[in-house]
Amino acid sequence: MVSLSCGAWEPQARIEASSFKSLNARVDGLACQVAGTDAAASYVSCAGKIVTSYNGESREVSLADKQFKLVSEAGEWRVCGYK
């Protein structure tokens, strides 16, 4: 997660990644498509979910609830927050 983030969003990516660290997280049904662009970024909508498991309890987080903001940095597309 951190290695796919833009430099400006890396601290937040570290926080979010640490929240999943001990939860045996996995992604199910991931499918993404471009939802829009502006002068500075492209926005991507995804279907699917993050499934976590801790102490026998399972939880799901829908990926459809957010649009991911992507920016080109050093010739690569990087996640740089949400819209």
Side-chain angles (χ1 to χ4, degrees):
M1 183 174 191
V2 175
S3 66
L4 300 174
S5 300
C6 71
W9 198 64
E10 189 174 320
Q12 181 62 32
R14 288 186 186 284
I15 291 168
E16 292 191 23
S18 70
S19 71
F20 287 104
K21 188 173 183 176
S22 63
L23 299 178
N24 299 315
R26 71 178 195 279
V27 177
D28 281 347
L30 180 64
C32 300
Q33 62 184 13
V34 175
T37 60
D38 63 26
S42 290
Y43 299 92
V44 174
S45 295
C46 296
K49 58 191 170 187
I50 299 171
V51 180
T52 62
S53 177
Y54 184 76
N55 282 340
E57 184 178 334
S58 182
R59 292 190 181 180
E60 297 180 356
V61 177
S62 174
L63 294 172
D65 295 339
K66 300 177 182 176
Q67 282 189 356
F68 298 88
K69 177 182 176 183
L70 277 72
V71 298
S72 180
E73 189 173 89
E76 295 184 12
W77 287 102
R78 303 283 183 172
V79 176
C80 207
Y82 310 106
K83 182 175 182 182

